[in-house]
Amino acid sequence: AVVNELWLLERSVSDPVKRVLIVTGDDYPGHDWRSTAPALAKALREVKGLEVSYTECPAMFGSPLLSHYDAAVVHFKNYDERLPLGPECEKGLKDYVASGHGLALCHFSCGAFQKWEGFKANAGRVWNPVLRGHDPYGVFTVRITDPAHPAVSGMTPFEVKDELYTCLDGDTPIHVLCEATSVVDQRVYPIAFTVENTGGRVFHCVLGHDASVYESPGARALYQQGIAWTARLIEN
């Protein structure tokens, strides 16, 4: 027991650990969260210094236990008729980020809580069902727009087979990290960005339609590095 305690003490000094919680449990029927959430968790567990857990209970955002984690990942799209969540969840999520914690959003999580003002401010951009949803599922190139930012530092353009989202809306100040051009309308759309003035660190990436995306080298690295930055494993 003494040896174990000494090992833990040594590890806490030399190997900082940041706790990340992936919150999942519901989504659009075309999104198999039961395969994508474990795929994301597997990718993040490759990052030294990240301790990754996930829960299938989005009501976690209303629990004081959330503060145990350095960063939370929204990996779902909730539907009120299946998953009604009270005002304590809206307040809990808002307070969590405002207190300096990290928040990451994946793919259709841009549609989670889109009616909550607090969520809009933290997500930066949310799903607008009036807009065209996305390009046809297929291969496109993601370009790095700010290679100096620690969330994408060292990354180069990469190809990924996914849905290029064209449905984001909002006027909250964001900082675009990477972008892609639509094959449908030839317009440029953000793929990943950070959100300004939240109190914490927010990383929002719209990649992730299916589990294979998280196994694609470029997208995998983007999520690994972006969420490591969000959890403050990577400092500015």
Side-chain angles (χ1 to χ4, degrees), residues 117-154:
E117 288 301 323
F119 180 77
K120 290 179 180 179
N122 283 319
R125 296 289 181 271
V126 296
W127 171 54
N128 184 342
V130 175
L131 300 177
R132 180 172 65 88
H134 53 76
D135 280 11
Y137 183 82
V139 177
F140 57 90
T141 299
V142 176
R143 301 181 298 274
I144 310 302
T145 57
D146 183 8
H149 194 285
V152 291
S153 177

Side-chain angles (χ1 to χ4, degrees), residues 4-233:
N4 286 342
E5 288 175 4
L6 289 174
W7 180 85
L8 287 171
L9 180 60
E10 180 182 359
R11 183 173 184 269
S12 66
V13 172
S14 60
D15 298 316
V17 172
K18 298 296 184 179
R19 298 183 178 94
V20 174
L21 179 67
I22 298 173
V23 184
T24 189
D26 196 12
D27 213 320
Y28 174 71
H31 295 145
D32 183 11
W33 58 266
R34 288 185 173 87
S35 66
T36 54
L40 175 59
K42 181 180 178 181
L44 296 181
R45 285 172 181 148
E46 295 176 353
V47 180
K48 183 179 180 181
L50 288 187
E51 182 179 285
V52 183
S53 306
Y54 73 90
T55 176
E56 297 180 4
C57 180
M60 184 69 175
F61 285 116
S63 169
L65 292 176
L66 189 64
S67 63
H68 174 73
Y69 299 92
D70 297 287
V73 182
V74 184
H75 192 88
F76 66 88
K77 161 70 176 88
N78 60 303
Y79 292 87
D80 290 343
E81 64 272 19
R82 293 202 302 263
L83 190 68
L85 297 171
E88 69 279 1
C89 291
E90 179 176 6
K91 183 178 185 302
L93 176 57
K94 183 178 179 180
D95 291 349
Y96 178 75
V97 179
S99 64
H101 292 88
L103 185 71
L105 299 99
C106 306
H107 201 54
F108 202 29
S109 63
C110 61
F113 313 136
Q114 77 265 26
K115 296 179 182 179
W116 293 358
E117 288 301 323
F119 180 77
K120 290 179 180 179
N122 283 319
R125 296 289 181 271
V126 296
W127 171 54
N128 184 342
V130 175
L131 300 177
R132 180 172 65 88
H134 53 76
D135 280 11
Y137 183 82
V139 177
F140 57 90
T141 299
V142 176
R143 301 181 298 274
I144 310 302
T145 57
D146 183 8
H149 194 285
V152 291
S153 177
M155 293 193 64
T156 57
F158 62 90
E159 287 191 343
V160 64
K161 189 175 184 179
D162 203 343
E163 295 172 335
L164 196 165
Y165 268 25
T166 59
C167 56
L168 298 186
D169 194 17
D171 54 10
T172 300
I174 62 172
H175 181 76
V176 178
L177 302 175
C178 49
E179 64 186 17
T181 302
S182 166
V183 297
V184 174
D185 60 21
Q186 302 304 310
R187 293 177 60 186
V188 174
Y189 293 92
I191 296 299
F193 51 88
T194 62
V195 185
E196 309 294 325
N197 307 318
T198 64
R201 288 187 177 184
V202 178
F203 171 78
H204 192 157
C205 179
V206 295
L207 299 178
H209 174 71
D210 55 33
S212 67
V213 175
Y214 299 103
E215 297 167 1
S216 173
R220 191 181 191 87
L222 178 59
Y223 270 114
Q224 289 173 332
Q225 200 159 317
I227 293 177
W229 172 82
T230 301
R232 298 183 187 273
L233 185 65

